[in-house]
Structures are given as structure tokens and as C-alpha cells.
Amino acid sequence: MKALKILRSKPWLHDSEVAVAAPQYAGPDTAAAGRIALRFFLLVVSVLFFLFIITFLSRSQYPDFEALAGAPWQPFTDPSRLWFNTGLLAFSSLAMQLGLAGAHRGKLNIVVAGISAAAFFAVMFLVAQLDLWLHLQSMGFYVGGNPANSYFYLLTAVHGLHLMGGLMVLSNVVFRVWYDDELSSLSSPLQLCTTYWHFLLVIWLVVFALLTSRPETINALAAMCGF
Amino acid sequence: MQHVAIADQIDEMHDPQSFVTKYIWSQDHKVIAIQYSLTAIFVGLVALVLSGLMRLQLGFPDTFDFIDPTAYLQFVTMHGMIMVIYLLTALLLGGFGNYMIPLMIGARDMVFPYLNMLSYWMYLLSVLVLLSSFFAPGGPTGAGWTLYPPQAILQGTPGYDWGIILMLASLAIFIIAFTMGGLNYVTTVLQARTHGMTLMRMPLTIWGIFTATILGLLAFPALLVSAIMMMLDKVLGTSFFMPALVSLGESLDYTGGSPVLFQHLFWFFGHPEVYIVALPAFGMVSDVLATHARKNIFGYRMMVWAIVAIGGLSFIVWAHHMYVSGMHPAFGFFFATTTLIIAIPTAIKVYNWVLTLWQGNIHLTVPMLFAIGFIFTFTHGGLTGLFLGNVVIDLPLSDTYFVVAHFHMVMGVSPVMVLFAAIYHWYPLISGRMFNVTLGKAHFWFTFLGTYAIYLPMHYLGFLGVPRRYFAMGSTDFIPESAQSLNASITISALIVGVSQLLFLYNIFWSLRHGKQAGHNPWGATSLEWQTPDVPPHHGNWGAELPRVYRWAYDYSVPGAEHDFIPQNHPVTDTEGTAGDHGESEK
Amino acid sequence: MVIVVVLVLLVIGSLLFHWLSPWWFTPIASNWGTIDTTIDITLYITGFVFVAVNLFLAYAIYRFRHDPSRRAHYEPENKKLETWLTAITAVGVAAMLAPGLIVWADFVDVPEDADEIEVVGAQWQWNFRLPGADGKLGEVDARYIAPDNPFGMNANDPAGNDDVLVSSNELHLPIDRPVKVLLRSKDVLHDFAVPQFRVKMDLVPGMVTYVWFTPTRTGKFDILCMELCGIAHYAMRGYVVVDTAEDFDSWLAEQTTWSDMQAIPAGNAIAGKDSFAVCASCHGQQGEGNVAMNAPSLAGLPDWYIARQLDHYKRGIRGAHQDDVYGKQMAPMANMLADATAVRNITAYITTLEASVPTSTLDGDPSRGASHYNSCGACHGAQAQGNYALQAPRLAGQEDWYLKRQLHNFRLGIRGAHKEDTYGHQMVLMARSLQDDQSINDLLAYLNTL
């Protein structure tokens, strides 16, 4: 509604209302800018995954699609390996949150421990995902074998790339803290990284849910989207 | 997100000293803008030459030995892709977006200058990858700029191997570059506006660029998704878009994919892309018209609403590119309706541009001529869009020259007219010198009349039913011989227009050294970019103190004011309070 | 003020161009006159707006040109005017949209009594299938497609046995019968477009699309592919012939059905050897060709290509042009073969002959020729090995002087100009991209290396 009010204002008038609507400008705010940019970036990534998922649902309605869960011989009918990987990513997210809490309270030890654990679990997650790939390959589920397989590799790869990007940014943040030795400058970028970590966890959960869905669930979702 | 380096103090800007830091690895938005612009114009010239070659074949078939069907399709494809993505998108957003946003909203730079620099270098990389496909085995892809599978990645299409792979890779890199830049533009507009610069006080240029950037951020992922999936179909043999088929007598391993799915994704990007190009052009032309007519833009609020409305609607009209694609025909009802609805805000914009001139005090400067030319060409192109958007009329006209003529009018000529208007308009600010007016006018007449001589007749080839993307027409029963003479005349016009762009290039580069000193604000403009302490603006733009904004960007010819313009950073005087209400009291 | 005059002239000029232009829709030959009506409505409305906006623009520029003694009017907005303009525009848009949607509803709704026929697209040819006596089209699938089953018929579906398979690019339709055209593609996207019928639709591999119309005028109309489908897209042509009911029936009776096609016996090479004695006098005992007799090499050519050429000679499709000196010599020879069986036998024999290595008689640069060959290779194969699916003969191993003469003949329309010579017609279009002798020599020099 605020947006509507802004759009309805008449900028050529010099009345007090316009002046009130003006932001109290105190120089550009680094942290706020970072938050806005991150929000937009997460929006872009959401659109990316949204579109992948829409195409997944659309593609699932063609007769050659064989969901990866449902029948007993399908790899994700028993999703325990995926749960294990999810646990790793959740620990990583949790560790980031702890590290952030440490930064807020000014405790460097906790920050270091949190970030290290987060990075460790994130790398472990990636390794576990890679192992899952090899596992599926060894079971004969190749990338081109079936569209469901293709989507499994595609979605996990795109998710993994986003996580790797996050790790690079995180290492850069750590690097700068190392040199600046200034804990206060860490808090804001660490906040952004933590948000990103949680976001990737959510994305992973959605991907997880989709990959382990039984054909009936997928068909129902596709029907809801009109495919 | 890591390189959060916002400078609000001039001494923090590390004013670059050496040539390399100043012009190559620069983080100054103005230098990056010029890097973007020069790269885009360079690659645009390549595409212009390609279009000339393609026209030579169409105008004078059976004449040129070096243009065979393979080369022809490659010219068509690369011309289209370069013009839409690597020239127009890059020049309007990477070039003008970069230059204008900080200056017009009163900021010292983009909020993430380092990211901005990376954005340019990624863009350059995407251009190099694209151009490298000319030298790859098999040459660049000839699948048409829409890159429809299955043919884009199958034998029988030029560049089905390296060409298409490099094209998809280049697009992916471009999208990363755009996202870096786009996040910057959006955040800068939302976060770095100076004192008093409310959203509704921003010039329409910024509204256009801002909205287009958001469209780009939301639409380019669709292209990325389709590029990634097609790449996997090509390289790893997946079947996202590839059904079971027999290609040139050989059964391939693909099964069950859907080519129409690709088209949905492509046009979910492709239609907003039209507005990614058009909205910044709409904004810039509004500012050029207002400045040179010495009159506020008519119906500013309506103009902003129209930009936002068009931006929103552009996401629900995509399938009007697919009326004959074999999608379920019932979609035709929905998409024809949304498409024709989008004509309403667009028409309002045209009315308001014309009404801005009404009761103005019109200076027929070179930028103004281009802006008027834009109104003419855009009206023409917009109206022919009503034919194609109306689903049944699209049946006879789709994939004919009518389509080619329509989108060149609306998306080629019109934005290019605005780009020229904008370049001439802001040239004194960017270079500090005035361009040569005579050359500028000559350039206008050649471009304006020449392009109309190309595209008006082309619509009629389309009515006749002449298909596009044909290397040669051969013989048919329904196309008369005279159509070939028409094609020849179109080619001659196209070559004249192409060559006349040398006038522009010569003018721009000659005037850099020999133009008259422009001085401060030669057009008497109100918006903030003209109020910098130095012309051209120095690093950091504003000297010691950021400007403070007291009014909207269109206080031209305010009754009772001393001059016929009041810059945005001039405080409101006591006598003005009533003057500002003037328009309000009239209704 | 030049711009004012120019704007007015452009408006007048555009109107004149429109009225005087000889380039307009071809006379309609289907029931879709309503589409033309919708176009007229749109044309009047948009034409009016075009004239009104631009004349007003010109007048505004003229009336309010720069005058130092005057100031522009200050008017941020005028709600009343803007609301009115919006409303009028909305009415205009509705006036264009409504008829469009009504006609589209007709297009979506296929009449129940429409005859179903199938159009099959493949790079770069049109084929057709009609349902036969049972009125039902048999099942087809891409995985059944094979050299002896180009339509991909399911051999186990009895409904397919009487399906009429039209392997030429000419489709006949009866006048005044609504027809639902099912569209199917074997490989990439194509588009079935007949300008006189107004409607068109893409062919999409993996699915069946459709379009319906009622032909209302007899005559022969071009089918053009209107969705980019590769290098020879522009050469993908066909014809629809709209016949009276009687003519249509007699055409239909001449066509081959799926069961006919399966029943064709293989050629007998031994019987063919005897008839080859006549051929051997010019083409050589091993079919190696003879430049002195202007006889090309036959050994190595695929049987289906030789059969088609013999058939063309017999029917005057090839070798009938007055400038085709050597073709005219071949035509009576081909006529010595009595029937299809004789042709099958002789082609069966020729395929048993060992392909010879041609001698190079031309001077060309193979590396330049390689780039010219790019477009040729799309059909004839990267190694010039030929491709049955595209009906493109093997070129490797053929004598270069012969190929050169054929390229000349194609370029000049001496060969391939006959309406029934589908593939020859494609070669006419393709050959015209080679402009001079040197290019042809280079190309053939490259072919000699394959």
C-alpha cells in the first residue's frame, strides 16, 4: 500500500507530504544496500529454480518420464541417503547461525568455530552429493537415461554450484576479517551469508521433496499447474 | 555481496591515477558505461554488416558467390542475437543505465563498484565467446535467433555443433554479467538516492531503466534455464526438449521431450526482453522531449504507471509469439486479450509524448529530431503489433516479412532512434563538447527516411505472404516478379542507412577533439546529471558535497520563474508555492 | 520546419503506398474470409490512429515551434483528457479484439464432418497420408521409420493397411469439403502454410498438431514451410491441388496404399543384367561412365536414385528440355524399359557393380571448395555418400565433368524446372548459390578428394 501511495503522489507539488515521503538520507547505507541486493539476488535464484521445477512438472507428464521414487527398484523410494545429505546441509546452516550469533556478541572464537563448521559441513554436503551421483551412476541411472534422472543431476548440480558460490563469498569474508582483524566489520556480511545459507537449505528441501515424490504426487502437482 | 564499498566521502574514492586504473580496471560507473557502450557499438557494427550481407542476398539473389544458404542463415541468426542482446540490452542498460543512474539520482557511484566492473568484464567475455564462434569449425549457429530445438542442435542446421555450444555459453555468461549489473542498478536506485530525491521525483529515464532492470532480473533466468537444458540435450544427450525423431534418415536416441516447452521458456524471457529494451528507451525519449520542448512531460504519473503496468503485463503475453506453434489453441484467447490490453498503456505513452509537444516551445535540435522520429516509427510499429497480437490475424501473417517489418520498426528502429537521440542529447555532458549539428541532422534524415523506406514496403511483402528466413524465393505462383524489385529497393535503402551510420561515428569521434566546448548544461535541462560541478563529471561526480533535491525533474517554463527551467537542486522560493499548483488548479 | 512537411508527406505517402501497392493478400481460396474481414477492421482502426496521431504531431510541432518571446504552457497533467484518451483507446482495442476472438473460436472448433488427412514434414520435403476406405488413419510412430517404411507405419495396426501414402510433394483435396489437416514432423519444426488458405500451423516432432479449412476454389497452390528448419528450409516446397470431387477421386485411385507398398517385390539383378547391355554401350560394362560418350558413372549410385531418374526420363520430367542435349539422348533409352519391374531389375543389377574411382578433369582448389560444400553436405552427407531419407544421391565417385554439367543445368533450369521434379526443384534453388565457374570447379575438386 505504501508503494501505491508513493505512485499516487504528485511530485510537482511542493507540499509537506512529499517532503515527508522523502527518505531521511544519511549517506548510502552499506548494510542496507547489501540486504536489498541479496533480496533481489535470492529472487533471481528463486525464479531460476521455479522455472526448473515448472519444466520438471511439465516434462513429467510425458509418457517416458519415470519418477525416481515409488517403485521399489527406484533409488529414492528409500530416501535415507538424501536425509543424510540434508542433515549435513542443515548442520552447515545451523553453524552459520551460531557464528553469526557470536559475531553479534563479539565473540571471535564462536565466529571462527561457526564459520569453520559451516564450511566443513557444506563441503561434506557437496562431497556426499557427488557420492550420490556416483552411486546413481553405478546403479545405471545415467543422466540421459530418463528425464527424471536428467532433472536429478541438473537440479543437484545447479544447487551445488550455488553453494560453491556461497563458499567462495564466505572465504572472501573470512579473508578480509583475517586481514582487517576487525570483528565489527564481519557482522553485516556474515548476516548476508547466513541468509543465503538458509535460503539454499530451503531450496534444497524443495528439490528434495520433488525428487522423492511419488508419481501420483508429481501428477497431482502437474495437474494443479495445468499440465 | 562481499565487495560492499560505498563511497560517500570523496577522499575515500581512491581517485585513480594511472591509465590502467582509470580506463581499464576502472570502477567508475562512467568509465564502465563507456566501456559497455563502445563494446556494444562495436559488436553492433558487426551485426549491421551482417544485415547488409543478408540484404544483398535478398535484394540480388544469384549474384554473390560467398553467400550460400549456410552463410545466409548464420548472418540472420547472428544479426538478430547480437542486435537484441549484445547491442540493445547492453547499450541501454550497461551503457546508459550505468552512466545515468548515479548522476540522475545524485549518487557518487553505483553501490557496488567492484561488482559493476566485473559485470563489464563478464559482458566482454560473453561477446568474445560469441564472436569466437565465427572462427569455430562449422561457423556460428544458423538456427535463427530463437534457437528453436530440435533443429538448433541437429545436423542440417549451420553451426549445430560448436556454433550452438558457444552461443549458449555466451548467453549464460551474458546473463551472469547482466545479473551483476542489474543487482547494482536496482540497489543503487533504491538505496543511493540523494537528499530529497523521492521515487516520484526521478526522471522517467530512471523509471524506465529501473523497471527494465527488474524485468531483466526476472526474465533472464528463463533464458538461462532454457540454455542450460538445451546444452545438456546437446552435450549429454538428455531429452528435455528433444522428442524421438529421425534426423536426416538416422534415428536418434532422444525420447519424449517437448520442443514447445523450450518455446514457452524462450518467450517467457523473449517478450519481457522487448520491454527490457523498450522501457529505458521510453524513459530517455520522455526526457529528451521535455527538455527540448521546454515543457514538463505531460502526465508524469500516468507515464510512471504505464511503465510499471507494461512491465507487469509483459510477463503474461509471451505466448503471442506461439499462436501457430502447436500449443493448445485455447491459449490463443487469453494471450490475444492480454496482448491487446498492453496496447492501452503503450498508447497512453504515445499520447503523452505528443501532448508534451502541444503548447511547448519546441527547439528542433538533433536529439529532438530523433525523438520526433521515434514517435513516428514507434506509432507505426506499435500499430502493426495490433495485427500480430490479434490471434487470427497472426495466422496468415506469422513467419512472413510482416513480422520482420513489425519488430524492426518497434524494436529495432525505434530504440535506435532513441539511442541516437540520447547520445546526441548527453554527448555534451559525457564529452564536454558539442557535436557537429549539420552532420547530426544529415545523420537523422538518412536514418529516419532510410529506415522507413526499408520497413514500410516490407510489411507489404508480408501481406503478400512472402516467408521470412528464406535464402531465395525461387518460383511460386502467388509472388509476382515485382516483389523482387521491391526487395532490391529495400536492400538499396538498407545499404544507404548502413553507410550513413559512418556520419554518426565520424561526428562522435571528430567532435571529441574539435567540437565546441559545451559548457554547463547547454540544453537548459532540469535533471540532476547536468548540475555536476565539472563537465564532464569527475570521479565521484559531485565534488565535496552531494546535491540536495527540492523538486521533480520537469520544472520547465514554470510561470513566474526567472528562466524557463529550474534545476532539481534549486530550493523552492516563496513565490513558487502557487506556481507549482498551477496545473492542479486547471483541471 | 522540414520535419513538419516530412511527417505530413510520410503520412500521405504511406496511404498512397497502401492504395497503390500491387502487393496484397493473394485471392483467398478457403472458407477463412472472416480472417480477411478482421484484418480489414484492424487496418481501418489502426490506419485512422496512425494518420490522426502523426498529423497531430506535425501540427503540434508547427504550431509550437520555438519562439523566444513565448513560454511553454505549464501543465503537469490533465486527468480528464487522459481518462478520455484511455477510454477511447480501450474501445478501439475492444473493437479489434472482439471479432478476432470470434473468428478464433471458429478456428479452434473443427467441424465434425471434416475429413482427416495427414501432412508429414521432414527435412526438407512434404509427404501426405490419407485414411483410405476405412476412414481411419493407422497408427504411426517415429521408431518405426525405416527406409522401407518412410511414414513410420505400425505394421501391426490393420487400420493402416489401406492408408494412402503420397510420397510426392503434391496433395490433392476435394473442393468444398472441410478438411482437418493433422500435422506431424519426423525431425524438426516445420510449418504448413498455404497463403491462399490463410491459416497455417507448425509441425512439431513428438506431437500431432492440426489446422482446418474448406477449400473453396479449384487450382494449384504452393505449400511453403514457414518455420525455419535448417539449411534447405527455403527449398521445402509442395503443392495443394484443389480438385472437383471427380478429379479428386481419380487422383486418389492412382495412389499407392501401405499394403501396396509392402507388396512391391525386390528387383532381380540377373534379369537386370540382360537389359543393362544397352546401357553398357555408353556407360561402360562396369557402369564406370565414359566422358567421350557424355555418359556419367552409374556404379555406386543407389538404386532408388537410378529408378527415380529412369522414371523421370520415361515421363518427360527429365530430358525433355530443348537445351538438355544429352538428356534428350537418354530419354528414348529409358523408354526401352517397359515397366516398373524392368526398372527395378536393372537398378538391382547396377547396385552390384563396383564403384570406380573417378579421374579428375577440372582445375579447382579443394580447400575453397570445402566451404562451398557445407550447404551441399547437409543433404548429400559429409562424405558425399548420399542420403536416402533426403533422396540425395551419392556424389563421391561421380565424374566431375558430369556433375559440373548438371549444376549448370540446374542453375539454368534445364534440369529440375519441371513441376513434378520435387528434388530437382530443390537442386535448382541450391545450385543458384554458386555463381561462377571457379566456385563450381573448386567444389568439384573437393568432391574428388572424398
Side-chain angles (χ1 to χ4, degrees):
Chain A
M1 289 312 97
K2 194 179 152 219
L4 276 186
K5 197 177 167 203
I6 292 175
L7 284 174
R8 284 175 54 81
S9 66
K10 297 177 177 170
W12 54 89
L13 300 179
H14 301 301
D15 58 5
S16 52
E17 206 179 333
V18 175
V20 171
Q24 290 303 309
Y25 186 77
D29 174 354
T30 316
R35 276 198 303 277
I36 291 178
L38 181 67
R39 240 173 260 167
F40 271 95
F41 182 65
L42 298 187
L43 186 66
V44 171
V45 178
S46 307
V47 172
L48 190 73
F49 277 95
F50 171 76
L51 289 168
F52 273 128
I53 289 166
I54 286 286
T55 64
F56 175 91
L57 292 175
S58 166
R59 188 68 180 81
S60 72
Q61 296 310 295
Y62 288 80
D64 63 331
F65 187 91
E66 285 169 28
L68 290 177
W73 57 85
Q74 295 286 25
F76 296 146
T77 307
D78 168 20
S80 50
R81 285 191 66 129
L82 289 173
W83 277 117
F84 177 74
N85 295 4
T86 308
L88 291 175
L89 194 60
F91 275 125
S92 183
S93 226
L94 193 68
M96 281 297 279
Q97 191 65 43
L98 284 175
L100 179 64
H104 283 319
R105 279 182 283 133
K107 300 207 169 149
L108 189 60
N109 293 348
I110 297 181
V111 176
V112 170
I115 294 181
S116 313
F120 171 75
F121 280 116
V123 171
M124 283 312 290
F125 171 79
L126 289 174
V127 171
Q129 292 281 80
L130 192 64
D131 187 53
L132 189 60
W133 278 24
L134 298 176
H135 176 62
L136 254 72
Q137 297 252 1
S138 69
M139 289 172 71
F141 288 86
Y142 300 110
V143 60
N146 190 281
N149 310 356
S150 313
Y151 271 105
F152 161 72
Y153 290 103
L154 174 62
L155 289 169
T156 48
V158 174
H159 180 264
L161 281 176
H162 278 89
L163 193 58
M164 280 187 230
L167 281 170
M168 277 170 61
V169 174
L170 187 66
S171 65
N172 196 293
V173 170
V174 172
F175 196 65
R176 277 200 298 153
V177 171
W178 194 269
Y179 271 83
D180 289 3
D181 205 20
E182 177 91 38
L183 195 54
S184 63
S185 70
L186 182 64
S187 171
S188 160
L190 197 57
Q191 170 77 63
L192 300 182
C193 283
T194 309
T195 312
Y196 186 67
W197 244 248
H198 296 340
F199 173 78
L200 282 185
L201 179 62
V202 173
I203 291 278
W204 167 247
L205 289 174
V206 174
V207 169
F208 178 14
L210 198 68
L211 289 175
T212 54
S213 292
R214 281 152 198 283
E216 309 85 70
T217 324
I218 294 177
N219 291 344
L221 283 171
M224 265 166 52
C225 299
F227 296 123
Chain B
M1 289 323 85
Q2 73 276 39
H3 293 285
V4 184
I6 300 170
D8 46 356
Q9 295 299 316
I10 188 69
D11 49 278
E12 275 189 21
M13 294 304 290
H14 312 296
D15 212 1
Q17 298 305 323
S18 75
F19 179 83
V20 171
T21 48
K22 197 166 176 183
Y23 296 110
I24 309 292
W25 298 112
S26 174
Q27 299 185 24
D28 182 344
H29 72 101
K30 297 185 292 296
V31 178
I32 294 171
I34 287 166
Q35 290 172 328
Y36 249 115
S37 304
L38 291 180
T39 313
I41 289 173
F42 166 74
V43 74
L45 286 173
V46 173
L48 186 72
V49 171
L50 291 177
S51 73
L53 292 172
M54 165 201 332
R55 274 313 320 175
L56 280 179
Q57 166 60 28
L58 292 173
F60 308 99
D62 311 338
T63 316
F64 300 98
D65 200 44
F66 59 96
I67 310 174
D68 60 9
T70 304
Y72 173 77
L73 288 178
Q74 290 170 330
F75 297 161
V76 172
T77 305
M78 296 309 272
H79 165 77
M81 194 60 103
I82 290 177
M83 286 297 192
V84 171
I85 308 271
Y86 299 88
L87 171 71
L88 287 173
T89 309
L91 186 51
L92 283 159
L93 294 175
F96 279 94
N98 248 321
Y99 204 94
M100 289 305 156
I101 291 173
L103 280 166
M104 281 188 151
I105 65 170
R108 293 202 185 281
D109 206 320
M110 290 288 176
V111 288
F112 310 116
Y114 185 77
L115 199 62
N116 207 19
M117 180 184 79
L118 278 185
S119 165
Y120 169 70
W121 289 104
M122 288 297 272
Y123 165 64
L124 183 66
L125 179 64
S126 77
V127 168
L128 292 176
V129 171
L130 182 79
L131 293 180
S132 73
S133 73
F134 279 99
F135 307 99
T141 174
W145 87 279
T146 46
L147 306 179
Y148 281 175
Q151 59 118 1
I153 59 173
L154 290 184
Q155 271 195 57
T157 295
Y160 70 94
D161 210 6
W162 279 103
I164 186 72
I165 289 174
L166 288 171
M167 169 62 84
L168 295 173
S170 167
L171 285 174
I173 299 169
F174 180 88
I175 292 166
I176 294 169
F178 177 85
T179 307
M180 290 175 170
L183 291 174
N184 232 331
Y185 309 154
V186 172
T187 313
T188 306
V189 169
L190 289 178
Q191 190 57 36
R193 299 192 311 278
T194 188
H195 313 257
M197 179 62 88
T198 63
L199 285 170
M200 291 301 273
R201 279 180 177 168
M202 296 192 305
L204 287 171
T205 298
I206 299 301
W207 269 106
I209 291 171
F210 176 65
T211 315
T213 306
I214 292 179
L215 293 191
L217 287 175
L218 299 180
F220 270 111
L223 183 63
L224 185 61
V225 165
S226 46
I228 291 174
M229 285 163 60
M230 180 147 48
M231 186 79 104
L232 293 180
D233 279 359
K234 172 73 200 166
V235 179
L236 296 180
T238 56
S239 300
F240 292 115
F241 304 131
M242 302 295 283
L245 51 81
V246 180
S247 170
L248 303 179
E250 186 189 349
S251 281
L252 302 184
D253 290 337
Y254 298 113
T255 55
S258 165
V260 178
L261 180 59
F262 175 89
Q263 298 180 29
H264 278 294
L265 280 173
F266 183 86
W267 290 113
F268 186 77
F269 145 77
H271 197 80
E273 167 65 23
V274 174
Y275 292 100
I276 291 168
V277 170
L279 292 181
F282 288 174
M284 295 196 295
V285 81
S286 305
D287 287 350
V288 170
L289 284 167
T291 307
H292 298 270
R294 316 308 299 154
K295 188 162 170 272
N296 62 288
I297 192 78
F298 183 83
Y300 172 85
R301 294 196 302 165
M302 200 67 126
M303 293 300 251
V304 173
W305 301 340
I307 286 179
V308 175
I310 292 171
L313 283 169
S314 72
F315 280 102
I316 52 165
V317 298
W318 78 87
H320 67 215
H321 298 270
M322 300 168 58
Y323 288 145
V324 297
S325 70
M327 67 172 179
H328 195 291
F331 287 140
F333 294 108
F334 175 77
F335 284 103
T337 308
T338 52
T339 302
L340 264 67
I341 287 176
I342 214 171
I344 298 173
T346 314
I348 289 170
K349 294 198 75 79
V350 173
Y351 300 149
N352 285 3
W353 288 322
V354 181
L355 289 170
T356 300
L357 298 179
W358 186 253
Q359 298 189 320
N361 193 4
I362 301 168
H363 295 255
L364 288 175
T365 55
V366 175
M368 187 60 156
L369 286 176
F370 274 102
I372 291 169
F374 161 80
I375 297 178
F376 182 86
T377 57
F378 184 73
T379 307
H380 197 283
L383 289 170
T384 53
L386 291 166
F387 286 75
L388 295 170
N390 203 345
V391 54
V392 286
I393 306 182
D394 188 59
L395 288 173
L397 293 181
S398 72
D399 279 303
T400 67
Y401 269 93
F402 190 89
V403 178
V404 179
H406 158 71
F407 71 68
H408 275 92
M409 261 333 238
V410 82
M411 209 192 161
V413 176
S414 298
V416 167
M417 294 296 265
V418 175
L419 279 170
F420 286 133
I423 291 171
Y424 285 116
H425 179 72
W426 279 296
Y427 187 80
L429 175 71
I430 295 167
S431 71
R433 291 182 188 261
M434 212 59 183
F435 52 85
N436 180 306
V437 174
T438 317
L439 281 179
K441 287 194 170 168
H443 175 224
F444 167 72
W445 289 115
F446 275 115
T447 308
F448 179 53
L449 296 176
T451 48
Y452 200 57
I454 298 172
Y455 296 111
L456 176 74
M458 202 183 274
H459 288 91
Y460 288 81
L461 288 177
F463 282 132
L464 188 59
V466 179
R468 66 191 283 213
R469 291 168 167 172
Y470 265 37
F471 170 75
M473 263 323 297
S475 57
T476 59
D477 288 332
F478 68 99
I479 300 174
E481 287 291 315
S482 59
Q484 189 52 50
S485 351
L486 193 62
N487 250 328
S489 92
I490 291 174
T491 295
I492 292 167
S493 309
L495 294 177
I496 293 173
V497 171
V499 172
S500 69
Q501 303 315 307
L502 291 176
L503 290 175
F504 166 72
L505 291 177
Y506 177 76
N507 196 354
I508 292 302
F509 288 108
W510 182 83
S511 305
L512 272 183
R513 287 191 171 267
H514 307 286
K516 275 189 305 197
Q517 290 288 347
H520 267 266
N521 200 359
W523 308 120
T526 54
S527 44
L528 222 45
E529 79 275 18
W530 295 100
Q531 323 305 336
T532 54
D534 309 288
V535 176
H538 284 183
H539 195 70
N541 295 344
W542 302 107
E545 209 173 309
L546 284 172
R548 181 179 275 274
V549 167
Y550 299 95
R551 57 182 75 240
W552 72 331
Y554 298 98
D555 263 343
Y556 290 105
S557 303
V558 178
E562 187 189 345
H563 297 292
D564 67 353
F565 70 103
I566 313 174
Q568 280 189 283
N569 56 350
H570 280 214
V572 181
T573 56
D574 293 340
T575 53
E576 253 188 90
T578 49
D581 278 332
H582 188 75
E584 194 64 2
S585 60
E586 275 221 337
K587 74 168 182 179
Chain C
M1 284 303 97
V2 188
I3 185 79
V4 176
V5 179
V6 168
L7 284 176
V8 173
L9 286 179
L10 281 182
V11 170
I12 297 171
S14 305
L15 291 175
L16 285 178
F17 187 90
H18 176 76
W19 282 318
L20 300 178
S21 155
W23 306 290
W24 193 245
F25 284 102
T26 52
I28 194 164
S30 78
N31 59 316
W32 289 113
T34 44
I35 291 182
D36 287 7
T37 313
T38 318
I39 293 172
D40 287 340
I41 296 173
T42 307
L43 197 63
Y44 290 130
I45 296 176
T46 54
F48 171 77
V49 175
F50 174 73
V51 173
V53 167
N54 286 310
L55 289 184
F56 184 78
L57 172 68
Y59 178 65
I61 298 168
Y62 170 73
R63 169 90 191 277
F64 300 103
R65 62 193 181 278
H66 177 58
D67 173 359
S69 65
R70 193 173 55 82
R71 259 201 197 179
H73 186 58
Y74 186 85
E75 188 183 25
E77 66 181 19
N78 181 335
K79 265 199 175 154
K80 203 168 137 190
L81 179 61
E82 288 173 82
T83 313
W84 268 109
L85 284 173
T86 310
I88 293 169
T89 309
V91 170
V93 163
M96 289 183 279
L97 180 62
L101 294 185
I102 292 167
V103 179
W104 184 250
D106 285 342
F107 179 79
V108 173
D109 184 27
V110 185
E112 288 195 355
D113 61 338
D115 303 328
E116 286 198 349
I117 62 136
E118 186 186 64
V119 170
V120 185
Q123 282 170 327
W124 290 279
Q125 46 194 305
W126 297 103
N127 289 155
F128 312 94
R129 185 163 66 114
L130 289 84
D134 64 354
K136 266 168 60 184
L137 289 166
E139 195 209 322
V140 285
D141 196 289
R143 65 177 182 273
Y144 302 133
I145 294 175
D148 58 349
N149 185 3
F151 284 76
M153 306 288 293
N154 177 355
N156 298 323
D157 183 6
N161 284 336
D162 65 345
D163 283 7
V164 174
L165 305 182
V166 184
S167 301
S168 92
N169 65 345
E170 188 173 292
L171 169 69
H172 286 239
L173 290 174
I175 192 169
D176 291 332
R177 291 274 311 147
V179 56
K180 180 182 186 182
V181 181
L182 301 172
L183 303 163
R184 178 162 69 95
S185 168
K186 289 191 217 168
D187 39 35
V188 302
L189 301 175
H190 302 283
D191 188 287
F192 176 77
V194 179
Q196 288 87 346
F197 293 159
R198 298 296 186 263
V199 287
K200 65 163 73 85
M201 190 55 73
D202 279 6
L203 286 68
V204 184
M207 63 192 278
V208 177
T209 56
Y210 71 89
V211 64
W212 83 269
F213 54 87
T214 309
T216 55
R217 183 155 66 84
T218 56
K220 188 169 183 179
F221 309 110
D222 292 281
I223 303 172
L224 298 169
C225 177
M226 288 223 195
E227 184 67 65
L228 181 57
C229 59
I231 290 169
H233 169 53
Y234 72 107
M236 184 167 167
R237 314 280 176 101
Y239 301 96
V240 175
V241 177
V242 178
D243 281 334
T244 58
E246 304 83 68
D247 289 351
F248 174 73
D249 289 338
S250 59
W251 172 81
L252 194 59
E254 288 170 14
Q255 303 306 311
T256 332
T257 65
W258 169 227
S259 45
D260 294 344
M261 194 183 268
Q262 287 169 298
I264 296 175
N268 180 347
I270 297 165
K273 186 173 182 182
D274 298 339
S275 352
F276 189 74
V278 182
C279 316
S281 57
C282 291
H283 292 278
Q285 285 301 331
Q286 292 302 312
E288 70 274 17
N290 183 344
V291 62
M293 302 297 292
N294 288 295
S297 155
L298 299 177
L301 283 175
D303 49 357
W304 46 265
Y305 175 74
I306 301 173
R308 169 148 51 86
Q309 295 311 312
L310 287 171
D311 181 56
H312 282 183
Y313 278 121
K314 279 157 70 87
R315 291 165 55 206
I317 296 170
R318 187 174 174 191
H321 193 284
Q322 56 175 2
D323 293 334
D324 190 359
V325 180
Y326 306 106
K328 282 197 293 194
Q329 292 175 0
M330 181 64 204
M333 297 293 157
N335 269 324
M336 291 167 64
L337 295 164
D339 54 16
T341 313
V343 170
R344 273 198 297 278
N345 293 344
I346 204 161
T347 54
Y349 175 68
I350 293 173
T351 50
T352 64
L353 300 174
E354 195 74 24
S356 57
V357 179
T359 42
S360 165
T361 65
L362 299 169
D363 202 18
D365 173 5
S367 61
R368 282 194 62 219
S371 69
H372 289 302
Y373 189 72
N374 261 341
S375 296
C376 315
C379 290
H380 291 277
Q383 293 303 312
Q385 73 275 32
N387 189 336
Y388 170 74
L390 289 125
Q391 294 284 308
R394 175 182 155 103
L395 300 176
Q398 187 52 275
E399 303 285 337
D400 51 10
W401 53 266
Y402 170 74
L403 292 175
K404 182 165 182 175
R405 184 188 307 139
Q406 296 311 308
L407 281 170
H408 274 293
N409 287 353
F410 280 126
R411 277 179 52 75
L412 299 173
I414 295 169
R415 180 178 172 189
H418 192 283
K419 284 265 173 186
E420 286 182 51
D421 192 354
T422 316
Y423 305 105
H425 190 69
Q426 292 187 327
M427 271 311 293
V428 170
L429 287 164
M430 302 303 298
R432 284 192 180 154
S433 65
L434 289 165
Q435 306 314 329
D436 60 44
D437 242 33
Q438 193 53 50
S439 303
I440 293 177
N441 288 351
D442 293 343
L443 175 70
L444 296 173
Y446 175 69
L447 272 177
N448 277 336
T449 66
L450 294 176

